[in-house]
């Protein structure tokens, strides 16, 4: 999977001005820092891709920073000096509060790009389909339950198809970065996507909690 990502996806990031190495990439604009991270799923078999923006010259509560950091130059907002744990040059996607996650391969509400066998089964209690990703190691002894249907096979061409889909969705993420010119832009986007301020803050807390379990 990494070979396909390195061949198809990473060159696109380099062309767009991102520096770094897998899994963290960043790009500095005039007053904005763009970040992209590949986040492995907790149990393996796949990964998520997310983007975030940071506004280091804004007030701390408008910088979109989740964890305290320290300043890297004197031009930053004075209140930034209250952050004393890490420098912004070492920040990554996980240090941000509001994030934009790629939609994955469409397995239910999952944002994951699974590069393994995936089974689908209807759950009457949820009145919807649920998906189970089975790793290569698990596949050796895995016995599908009644009603499970194989909807993705971990065949040789799968990593290439996944990398191509990541690349396609990255086009949308790169366009999103260009729209995020200020914290107000980011806040409006979050409220439109998640609801009013109280709604999106509570939803983001749940999203961050779930994401942290996968890092």
């Amino acid at each position: 999977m990494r070979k396909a990502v390195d061949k198809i996806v990473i060159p696109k990031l380099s062309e767009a001005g991102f520096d770094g190495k897998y899994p963290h990439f960043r790009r500095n604009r005039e007053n904005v820092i763009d970040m992209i991270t590949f986040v492995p799923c907790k149990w393996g078999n796949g990964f998520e891709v997310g983007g975030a923006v940071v506004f280091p010259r804004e007030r701390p509560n408008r910088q979109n920073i989740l964890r305290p950091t320290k300043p890297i130059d004197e031009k930053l907002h004075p209140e930034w000096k209250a952050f004393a744990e890490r420098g912004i040059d070492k920040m990554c996607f996980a240090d941000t509060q509001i994030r934009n996650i790629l939609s994955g391969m469409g397995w239910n509400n999952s944002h994951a790009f699974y590069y393994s066998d995936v089974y689908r089964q209807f759950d009457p209690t949820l009145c919807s389909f649920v998906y189970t990703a089975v790793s290569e190691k698990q596949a050796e002894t895995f016995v599908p339950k009644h009603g499970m249907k194989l909807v993705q096979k971990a065949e040789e061409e799968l990593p290439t198809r996944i990398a191509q889909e990541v690349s396609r969705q990255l086009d949308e993420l790169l366009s999103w970065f260009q729209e995020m010119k200020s914290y107000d832009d980011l806040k409006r986007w979050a409220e439109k996507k998640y609801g009013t301020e109280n709604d999106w803050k509570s939803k983001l807390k749940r999203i961050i909690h779930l994401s942290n379990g996968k890092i």
Side-chain angles (χ1 to χ4, degrees):
M1 188 68 246
R2 273 292 305 279
K3 290 181 179 179
V5 169
D6 289 343
K7 180 180 179 180
I8 298 173
V9 180
I10 305 307
K12 173 171 286 190
L13 296 181
S14 298
E15 291 174 4
F18 282 84
D19 295 318
K21 60 182 180 179
Y22 190 95
H24 303 297
F25 299 88
R26 56 189 291 137
R27 176 179 65 183
N28 293 340
R29 289 187 276 156
E30 185 175 354
N31 294 310
V32 188
I33 298 175
D34 301 328
M35 301 178 181
I36 293 178
T37 291
F38 293 75
V39 184
C41 294
K42 184 176 182 179
W43 306 113
N45 315 337
F47 60 92
E48 295 182 358
V49 183
V53 288
V54 170
F55 307 95
R57 302 184 190 280
E58 291 268 16
R59 298 190 305 275
N61 65 336
R62 290 171 55 87
Q63 290 165 343
N64 191 33
I65 294 172
L66 183 63
R67 303 171 184 172
T69 61
K70 63 184 179 181
I72 57 173
D73 62 57
E74 296 181 355
K75 295 181 180 179
L76 299 178
H77 193 281
E79 292 181 46
W80 182 273
K81 295 181 179 180
F83 299 101
E85 289 188 359
R86 301 197 303 147
I88 195 171
D89 56 328
K90 295 182 180 179
M91 284 183 60
C92 70
F93 168 85
D95 296 303
T96 60
Q97 183 176 19
I98 302 175
R99 309 166 184 178
N100 188 356
I101 314 295
L102 299 190
S103 58
M105 295 296 281
W107 305 125
N108 230 15
N109 294 321
S110 171
H111 295 275
F113 294 92
Y114 289 115
Y115 45 85
S116 64
D117 290 352
V118 177
Y119 288 84
R120 184 180 71 183
Q121 183 180 29
F122 184 78
D123 188 332
T125 61
L126 299 175
C127 293
S128 66
F129 288 104
V130 295
Y131 295 85
T132 302
V134 181
S135 69
E136 183 178 0
K137 183 177 181 179
Q138 291 173 319
E140 297 175 359
T141 58
F142 181 77
V143 178
K145 295 179 181 179
H146 177 72
M148 277 189 167
K149 179 181 179 181
L150 183 66
V151 292
Q152 176 176 278
K153 180 68 177 175
E155 53 193 7
E156 185 177 354
E157 298 82 5
L158 181 60
T160 298
R161 293 206 305 271
I162 291 176
Q164 290 172 340
E165 179 60 20
V166 172
S167 179
R168 186 192 70 78
Q169 293 187 30
L170 272 178
D171 289 335
E172 300 174 5
L173 184 60
L174 293 175
S175 297
W176 177 80
F177 280 127
Q178 297 305 316
E179 297 174 3
M180 299 299 111
K181 300 177 182 178
S182 69
Y183 178 79
D184 291 328
D185 293 331
L186 181 64
K187 183 178 178 181
R188 281 192 292 268
W189 173 82
E191 290 180 343
K192 183 178 180 180
K193 186 176 181 66
Y194 300 109
T196 62
E197 182 172 357
N198 289 335
D199 289 339
W200 67 256
K201 281 188 175 181
S202 62
K203 290 179 181 179
L204 283 169
K205 286 181 180 178
R206 290 196 295 271
I207 291 172
I208 291 170
H209 175 73
L210 292 173
S211 296
N212 286 342
K214 296 179 180 179
I215 295 175

